[in-house]
Each structure stands twice: as structure tokens, then as C-alpha cells.
Amino acid sequence: MFLRALLLAWAVALVAQAEILPLRVGVGNTPPYSYLEHGKPAGMEVELLREMARLDPGLQFVGLDNFLTARRVVEEMNAGRLDLALGGKTPERGARYHVLEPAIHRVRLRLLSRADEPLRVDSLAALATHGERAAVLVIPGTTAHTLLLKQTGLVLDAAPVDVEQMLQKLVAGRGRFAFGLESAMQISADRVGLSSRLRWQPLDAGELDIHLLVSRHLPADTLQRLNAAWKKLAASPKLKEVVHRYTGEAIVETP
């Protein structure tokens, strides 16, 4: 009897182990979505993935402490070496990845300058007329970068590896403007203590829905489990609670 019970427990353990799905996640130093807090992964994306794993213990998200650049995340997702990443929903990404619905939240694409910037910019076309005198910092591999590449005449500096470095370069005068997600630039400015030295320009390049993007290399049953866990989380108060918790002090608007 004891041996039979032992074998049964062993069989149950094997089945449970077989159901665990290690999913490789592409993250970067992109507050408020992912960053290190006291050496440990933190942020909106990290918290939401952990909540999904709580809802379905078989989902195991790995790589949350292995930060990559935005460009590297795109490359690894396209090659099937990553299974999941967070990003803005665009037609190109909708064709390349599975997009988990609904969106996490909606953000604006904004233009930042130093607080003492005399130029007032209300469109990308107007910005392009200033050429080299108005170099724009942007992170390569992001939706913001893709959008800027469609506007002729802009001078871009796509060297920054993350938002914090981009804002530090802006304040240091190594670029006249910075372009990206309002949420990421706002929180990053707070974290590095630069909010008072920056100013939003009136340019508003529209809104972007932020989603969890899933590689098309994943099996259909894995995608189904991810979808089920995400829909359950999104239908609960937890999603809004997590999103609303990640806010920052306001950067001044240009009048």
C-alpha cells in the first residue's frame, strides 16, 4: 500500500512538472514597466506577469532580471529566442506577433526638451525644418523610433540604450529633444531626478496601446493558456490597481 501511494505521488509530481511552461520574457530598463529595485526586478510588467503566474502556476516567466536593449528584444522575439515582450500595438507588430487583448493601458507619444528650450514644437514636420539644430534623441527598436523614421528631414540620435540614458544626454546638451512614451519618460525623469530640468513640448504624436506581445513560435496550447490567464487578470480589479500605482510627478508643459 505504501509503495503504491509513493508511486502515485511520484506520478502526480511528474505530471505537474510536465505542465510547467517556462516562458522567456524580453525586458529592459524601462520604468515604469520594468527596472531593478534594490537589485530585484520590479515594475508594472513584472508585477502583472507574476500575477498571471499566480492565476496559472504552470506559467513560469524567466529572464525578468536579464535586461536587454529594445532593439535586442525585437531581434530575439523575431528569431523565436524570446516568447513574450511588452510593447505598443502597431499594424506591423500585429502581423508579426500574437497580441494579448485587452491592452494594459494607453499612453501618449511625446516630445521632451530642456526646461530652458526657447523653441516651441507642435508637429514633427515643423521639427524637421530645423534639421541638425534640432537633433532628436530616441531609443532604437522602439515604436517611437519607427514613427520618427517615417518623417523626412529629422536628424535622429538613436544611440541611447534606455530612457534614463536618453534623458541624461538631453540634459547634458547631447541632443535638443527626446521622443518616446510619455509614461516611460515621466517615471524615468523622476527616478534620476531630472523632472524639474525638463519640459513637455506641445507636440502630441498620438496615443499607443501597450500590450503583451507573444511570439508566433509558441504552440497553440501555450498561447491559449497565456490568453486565459491574461483575460482573467484583465477582468479583475488588479489590472487597474497595478497600472494606477505607477505614476510620477508632473513635468511642466510648454505653454
Side-chain angles (χ1 to χ4, degrees), residues 195-233:
S195 295
S196 63
R197 303 176 65 183
L198 299 169
R199 186 180 296 272
W200 293 117
Q201 285 289 319
L203 181 150
D204 189 338
E207 295 181 320
L208 192 65
D209 286 334
I210 304 300
H211 288 259
L212 290 173
L213 309 175
V214 181
S215 170
R216 290 189 178 271
H217 293 82
L218 281 183
D221 58 340
T222 303
L223 175 63
Q224 186 176 9
R225 286 181 64 174
L226 278 168
N227 257 318
W230 175 247
K231 287 187 183 301
K232 189 173 182 179
L233 172 55

Side-chain angles (χ1 to χ4, degrees), residues 87-253:
K89 182 180 179 180
T90 63
E92 295 83 3
R93 287 179 172 178
R96 180 164 287 172
Y97 313 123
H98 297 292
V99 180
L100 298 190
E101 299 283 359
I104 295 173
H105 71 150
R106 179 171 291 178
V107 298
R108 292 191 292 172
L109 288 160
R110 299 291 305 272
L111 187 72
L112 265 181
S113 67
R114 291 183 294 278
D116 59 356
E117 172 57 55
L119 194 62
R120 185 178 186 277
V121 180
D122 56 12
S123 72
L124 291 178
L127 185 60
T129 64
H130 296 279
E132 294 183 358
R133 293 174 297 140
V136 183
L137 295 156
V138 66
I139 299 172
T142 60
T143 308
H145 187 210
T146 302
L147 178 62
L148 292 184
L149 289 173
K150 295 177 180 178
Q151 173 65 53
T152 59
L154 289 176
V155 175
L156 305 181
D157 179 346
V161 298
D162 57 38
V163 181
E164 291 180 3
Q165 186 185 85
M166 179 173 71
L167 299 184
Q168 288 166 343
K169 289 184 69 171
L170 176 62
V171 168
R174 296 166 61 191
R176 193 166 177 181
F177 299 96
F179 186 71
L181 296 181
E182 181 179 45
S183 54
M185 293 195 290
Q186 177 70 75
I187 301 299
S188 294
D190 291 347
R191 285 174 59 83
V192 294
L194 296 178
S195 295
S196 63
R197 303 176 65 183
L198 299 169
R199 186 180 296 272
W200 293 117
Q201 285 289 319
L203 181 150
D204 189 338
E207 295 181 320
L208 192 65
D209 286 334
I210 304 300
H211 288 259
L212 290 173
L213 309 175
V214 181
S215 170
R216 290 189 178 271
H217 293 82
L218 281 183
D221 58 340
T222 303
L223 175 63
Q224 186 176 9
R225 286 181 64 174
L226 278 168
N227 257 318
W230 175 247
K231 287 187 183 301
K232 189 173 182 179
L233 172 55
S236 73
K238 187 68 175 180
L239 176 58
K240 286 185 178 180
E241 175 193 322
V242 171
V243 171
H244 289 168
R245 198 180 319 130
Y246 291 89
T247 57
E249 297 177 7
I251 295 173
V252 175
E253 298 279 349

Side-chain angles (χ1 to χ4, degrees), residues 58-94:
L59 298 175
Q60 183 182 78
F61 299 103
V62 298
L64 294 176
D65 56 352
N66 182 28
F67 284 2
L68 305 173
T69 64
R71 176 174 284 171
R72 179 74 181 278
V73 169
V74 171
E75 292 172 351
E76 297 295 292
M77 282 283 287
N78 293 346
R81 290 188 290 267
L82 286 176
D83 302 316
L84 193 74
L86 180 143
K89 182 180 179 180
T90 63
E92 295 83 3
R93 287 179 172 178

